[in-house]
Amino acid sequence: MSLPSLLSLIPALLLAATVGMAQAAPKAAVSKYSKQSAVEYGQVCADMIGQIPAFNCLDGTIVPITVDGKTPAEYKPGMTCDRPALLPYPDGSFGQCTPYSRLLNLSYGKTQISAMCRREQLREPNSKFFDEVDIVAHNVDTGDTCWFHAEGKPGQKTGFDASRVPPPNEKAPPPQRISAGQFWWAPAATASKNCLSCHDADPFMYSPWIGQLKYLLPADPLGRYSNIGKEFAQWHSNSISTRDNTCVGCHRIGDQASCSQFVPMAAGRIPAKDGNALANSYPLSHWMPVNNDQSKEFWEQANLESLNQLLTCCADPKNPICTIKPIVTPPKVGKR
């Protein structure tokens, strides 16, 4: 290689070595389903849903972590808190009460875009390094939905630079910035994360943790829900209900994590992982309906029968009291 050619590679090599890159999409997951790149998928999603802008994770609003209603003087690994994240943090992370994750609402018109910049390790509040970045993009008219995911390498505790998150369809980044193809996982790898197992009722799910920023969380609780791309064709979800059920008046109940975790957890039947005494005491232990300010006696009178019926249907969907309907409509395979 000539000296000029070698010199031309130096900026790129320096960039790769210093920016704290996100993990590349796992090759096995990519080749198993599709060779569609993150940028190609990003362009399809931009055409069908809307353009996702570049953003800085530090422009997001911090999701509060409190203990007994107050910001703690210090954070400790594995600590408990009032509203744990209820997220699948990996072994070796700081825990469900990791502070300084940030949420951005990039929505406009009929296009809903929610971006979550997650912290799984303790760092300074204004550090540009994060452990995971996720985007859910959704069109309220068509129900079309896209998923974008980036995370650090397994075991990597330093995080990656998310001070400029590239638009998924960006073909060329600004100088000294990471490209979309380097930052985002390919759609087949993202699909392997099975985000729908938790987002089984709606593209945007509620929990007491994220509900602290409810004003920033898009909502389309009873709208159409269709995932773009054949990589996501294996994602299916059904709604579970019974006649005159009070728990489905404002939203659907999905038959996956909603059944196994969220419904019993929202009714105080199972504790939240890393939740403290306040989290597991009424009313925080009964976080549906949202902003529950009812007495426990009233709550049980209004909701207990409906709750028990839902749990019956979660355990036995063929029970004659159950109404089961598809939530996720077939993906638009091959459509641009």
Side-chain angles (χ1 to χ4, degrees), residues 268-279:
R269 296 291 180 90
I270 59 175
K273 180 177 172 55
D274 292 343
N276 60 11
L278 187 65

Side-chain angles (χ1 to χ4, degrees), residues 150-174:
E151 68 178 50
K153 298 176 181 178
Q156 175 185 330
K157 295 188 175 182
T158 55
F160 57 89
D161 185 349
S163 60
R164 185 187 185 274
V165 177
N169 65 332
E170 186 177 73
K171 294 180 174 58

Side-chain angles (χ1 to χ4, degrees), residues 182-218:
Q182 291 174 301
F183 189 89
W184 296 110
W185 282 25
T190 298
S192 72
K193 302 292 287 189
N194 195 18
C195 308
L196 185 132
S197 65
C198 289
H199 295 251
D200 58 352
D202 187 64
F204 310 102
M205 298 293 287
Y206 176 91
S207 73
W209 179 74
I210 200 68
Q212 297 175 97
L213 303 180
K214 190 171 181 294
Y215 64 99
L216 289 176
L217 191 65

Side-chain angles (χ1 to χ4, degrees), residues 3 21 40 57 121 179 193 215 221 247 258-259 279 292 315 320 323:
L3 182 59
M21 291 175 62
E40 291 169 338
C57 275
Q121 302 293 338
S179 70
K193 302 292 287 189
Y215 64 99
C247 299
S258 290
C259 266
N292 174 29
T323 300

Side-chain angles (χ1 to χ4, degrees), residues 27 29 32 55 69 80 93 142 146 162 190 223 266 276 293 335:
K27 293 181 179 178
K32 181 179 179 181
F55 62 90
T80 60
S93 70
T142 64
C146 280
T190 298
N276 60 11
D293 59 357
K335 184 176 179 181

